Structure formats: structure tokens, C-alpha cells
Amino acid sequence: MLLPGRVSLVDLAEILNVDLSHITQKAAQLQSKSRNITVVLGQLINGTYITQLAEEINDLLVQRGFVSTNSLTQQYDLPNEFLQKVVQENLGKIIRAKQDPRDPNVFFTEAFVARNMATIRGAIIGIMKPTAVSTLLNLCGVQDRLFYSLFEELAKAKQVPGTLSGKQVSNSMYVPSVYSKSQSDWVDQFYRQNGFLEYDAMSRVGISDGQAYVKKHLAGENLLFLDSAAIGPSVLEQIKGAIEEAVSTGTWVDILPTLPSALDTTCAEQILVEVLKTVKTPGGSVPSVKVFNSTVVVTESFLNKLVVPLKDIVQQKAEKCVSSGAFQQWQIDRNQTPEDNKKDDIKEDKVDKRDERRKKAAGGKVGGGTQGRETKTKSTKKKGGRGGRGGGDSDDEAPVISSRKPTNLEIITIHDIISVISKEESFRGLDEDDKVSLLEEIAKHLHLSVNKTALDVAQAVLDSTMSNQVGTRRKTHHDLQEKLNNLITNIRLFERGLKGFSTDVVPPAKESAHDQLSKYLLKTFGTDIANEIVGFIAQERMLQWDSRKEMLQETRQKVAQESGGSEKEAIQKLNKSLTGSSLDDFFTALDYALGPEVCDVVVRKPDKKKERVMVFGHRQALLEQMNTSQEPAQVLHIAALILCQGVTQNMLHASGRYVNILLAFLQPHLPVPTFKTLQEYYDLVLKLLSTDDSDESAKETVTFQLQEKMSVIKEIANSFKKVGENKE
């Protein structure tokens, strides 16, 4: 039934027989002048109609309990915005209802809301496990948009013992508080008992996203989150303790048996990566360990222990390799170059051409068919072998040129290593499959270094074999010349480093710093040069002496007596110069020994470019040795040598007993704080060396101080090196 107070402008134009444009114009004027008249979708509506419309909507609410302006739009043929405005303006006046906070187009009566709220509350109170909201809607007969709105009110009033997860009916669940508490209690109890939480186990108690739940529930715990579990500090400390024990005892440990049985190898591998970041040796340094089979931690000392029993098989197989000729052939192949191959090919080609000419001369013009074909085949084959224009057929006899060097010779195989290290006592309790896998990985790790040792042993065996075949080991003149030139170059470079040291004797010392260091240089490099010369003379004269032992002054004197002549005089002069501290006397004696009457060795002229390279290389070697060393006395000794080289720009050769001399030399060249630091460190080293071994507490205190200041000493040497380079 159409309510009064509403008429279509089209109908009004027909009734009044007035043009529609005039009607539309007048309607707009009326709307602007009167608040009770509205034009909506070409219809003229007054206030009476709106009041009656509000009363009808209120009647609908009383009947149904709720109403939607979307459905009213179809019923009254009016736009939703207009109806929405009518309802909202009359709420609490004509229309007795409340607006849905989730959907502004829906309105409910208080009775409807109370009835549905009671229904929802009654249904939820009896639920003891997570239930889908769709099931609750079917159970209560409540619309989904109303359900969420009423649930929020019930939750605010604390009338529902649970929570909702999700905002859509398709994935929303109601979780009772008793169920959430049982999950929380289960998680707490499991974590206290086991020290970790497995996500699969949590999913079996209804926790789908285990990691997110643990992060929220145990926010205060320092957990390690893995792909399948969350690991607590107690488990990590247990693993760390096992590894530290293995490090301190020099053994190995498999952490997988230490972990709870629910954690697999993947978890163990992830845990191991994190724990190894925190493991320290008793001295506080990072331990040297290797990981095998993902979960087995093996210390470097244990690996070194495994290498010891391999010495016998290394010796045996190296001797066998030499006796079979395989090692010698490998050396020949390794040293063969592409140019050598080309030279051999050219030689073979020349021989083939000579053979071809001889065959042609012998065969004449008659019977040369078969031979001609052979010759032609050979020629084609050689061209192909040399990579020339003739790319024709070739057979197996064609020489092959290869620029690749042969691969490394394998004297010791992985199987050889496994057969020896499998006898290690600590491997016997392992499962057979685990044992085989672990031994194979360790063998692969050791293989390269052990095989290199075998190659070195094979070389020593070959050298010894060749020496035995000759009868006595004989130094060639060329070898002597090379060795002496290298030694002389070194001693000359070290001599330059002594020029800055004082020649004055400072009591209580009986010799100057220059003389003490010169003596040490003669004792080391000077003695090596003299021994090379004397050894060469002894071999040339076929004199009997034990080359395996260090040559002493008495041995050199004995060789001199048995040699006689100019060789005797040369050896005696060398011996005499070695007992003094004058390098000039030594070089004078050396010049005579190298002359044509004795060794006839030509000393090469100094090569400044090569010497600079040697000086730089010496400095780099010292830096590397110092930076890797953890021995306080050695670190201070090398640091002093580096600093002296930085000052003099020359190499210096001195043992640790001359550190005080080096420091005295460095004092005027260093800043006062720097020198003070070096001197204090030197005093601590002396204190450590003089402390009685029985006084463990004192030794530990001094050792701790030395270790603590070691990085400062290294930094001084490294920094001074850089300054030196800049000056250069």
C-alpha cells in the first residue's frame, strides 16, 4: 500500500498537464525553500511520508527483530542512502532499535539482540574443544555478522570462556579458555622436562603454528628456533659441554646421541653450527675442530694422532712406488712441457723424412707402390700430429701433444687410510654403518696431506736410492754454486742490517752489540757456507765422513788435514774466521775458498731488484709467523726483528737471546709509549721464564698478562711495517 505524501514528478506532470521540465524546476524550488519536501529519484516526498515510513520500519523491526536498509530499498523503491538517513534520524524516537557496529545498514531491536546473545552464550559455555564458527552458526541459527558483533560484547563483559581466531567464517575457530590453558600447561611441562619444544608434537595438541606460539608464550627464554623445533639453553649448554670436553681431551664427540631422541640429524646440524660459535678452549681461544657426518666434532689434535700410525704404510707404499718406477715416470711427465713435446715431434719428423728418402732411393721408379702409400700415410699422420694443414687420417702411432700436466700421483689411497685409522680404539663402539661413513669422511679429509707426505717420502727414497747407486752422495759443481750464491746473498743482506748497531762495548757486556750479532750471523749462515764448501771438498777427494750428522769444527779440521794444499789452507781460514766476530775476515777467507784453486765458484753480482724482493718476502714471512704465533717470547722476538727491519730497511738475523740488544737499538727510533710497552712485555717474558714451575699461580698470572698484551705487540709490529712501506 502506497503511503500518502509521495508522488512521481512524471505522474504529476500528466495530472496537471504541465511540461515535465517546469514540474522538475518547481520541485527543486520547493525543496530549497521547505525542509519538509525532498526530491528523491524523480519523486516528491514530504515530511508526512517520512514519518509514516519510519513507523512502518519500526513495525518491521518489532516483527522480525532486525531489518536491513538493503532489503528496504527493494521494498520501497528508494535509494539506500535515503533510507539509511531516515532510519538514523529516527533512531530512539520512532524507531526503537540499535545499529550493528559491524554493518551500518543493519539495525536490531534490544529484544532480538538479547535473545540471540543468550543463545550464543548458552551454546559456547558447553564447548570444551576448538569448534568452527560455521558449526556454531548452524547450532545457534544466528547470522554471521550478528554473531561476531554479539561475541565481542559478550567477550567484553567476560561472559564467554574463550576466544575467536580468524575474522571470516571459513577459517574462524572458537577456542575455549580451558583448552588454551591445557595447551599452555602442556607446553610449559614439556619444556621444563625436555628443554626443547618440537613443532610436530605441538601440532598434535592443536597448536598449528608452533614457532609463533613459542615466541609469544616463551618470550623471555633465550631459545634457538630451528625448522622443526625450538631448543632451550639447557640443551645447548649440554652440547657445548660435550664439545669443550672433547677439545680439552683432544678427542671427538658425536652430538646426536646427546640430543633428545625426537631431534633428527638436521636439527643436530643446525644446533652444532650455533654452539660452535660459543665454544672456547681453556685459554679462551677458538678451538680448531672439524665437523664430519654433520654431527661429529673432531679436534685437530685427534686428527694429528690418527696420522701417526700412517707413517709405516706411507713409507712402505712410497718405497714400492719408487721401486716400480711409477714415481720417476710421474716426475718426468710432470716436468714435460708442450715445447718439449714439439721438439720430440720435430725430431721424429726428421727421422721419418730421412727414412722416406732412403726408401725412395732403394725402391726406384718400379716397386714403390706400397712404400709410397706408407710414406704418404706417415706424412699425413705427422702433419696431423703437429696440428698442421694436413688434417687427414691418423692412427694410434701418431704422437699426441698435450699442454696439460699430469694429475697428482696418488701413492696413498683413501682405502689405505681407512684400513689404518679404523683400528683406533675410540671408533669400536660405533654402529657399523655410522663407523664406515665417519671413517670415510675423515679419510677424505686426511688424504691430501697424507698423500703429499708420501710424495715427499718417495722423493727422499729416490734421492737415497740414487745416492746408494753412486756409492756416495756427490754434490755437483752447479748445485754448490747455486747453494753458495743463495747463502752469500742472504748473509750479505743480513750484514747490512747490522750497520746501525753500536760497535762500542757497554758494561757489563764484554762485546758490542754489533760484534754479538755478527758472531751469531757467522755461527749460523757463515757455518752453513763453510759446511757446503767443506762437504764439496770431502766428496771431491772421496774422504770418509758421516753426512747425516751436523758438521762440526773438528770435522772440518779433519777434512782440511786430509785434503792438504790450497784446500787445507782455505778450510783453516774459514774455520778461523768463524770463531771471531769479523765479517770482513770471513768474506776474505770465503773469497779464497771460492777461487779457482779450491772450489772455482763464480759469485753472481748483486741484483738489487731481487734483493728488494727477498727483503720484502722476509718481512712478510716474519709477519705471518708472528701473527699466527701464540708464544709470548717468540712474538716479542719476531716483533723486534720486524721493527728493526722497518728502521734499517734491511733484514736482520738474531736469535731470541738478543732481544734486549734489539730493544736498545729501537729505543731512539720509537715513540716513548711504544718502547715502554715493548720493554714491559720483555720484562714479563723474563719474569715468566724465571718463575719456578712449582709456583703455578704466579706463572698463570704472568701468562695471562702476556696473552692479554700480545695483540698490542702484534699491532705495533704490523703498524710499523705499514709506515715502513709508506716511506719506501
Side-chain angles (χ1 to χ4, degrees), residues 70 190 203 269 276 344 393 449 520 562 614 654 676 688:
N70 293 329
F190 189 92
S203 66
E269 187 174 0
L276 284 177
D344 294 342
D393 297 337
S449 61
Y520 181 73
E562 294 180 1
M614 290 178 66
K676 183 179 179 182
L688 178 65

Side-chain angles (χ1 to χ4, degrees), residues 379-385 387-393:
S379 176
T380 303
K381 178 173 61 180
K382 286 300 170 183
K383 287 179 181 179
R389 295 185 303 272
D393 297 337

Side-chain angles (χ1 to χ4, degrees), residues 121-147:
R121 183 170 55 245
I124 286 176
I125 289 176
I127 295 175
M128 302 300 292
K129 64 179 181 179
T131 304
V133 170
S134 58
T135 303
L136 289 175
L137 293 177
N138 293 332
L139 181 65
C140 301
V142 181
Q143 295 179 358
D144 55 346
R145 60 175 178 271
L146 179 61
F147 176 85

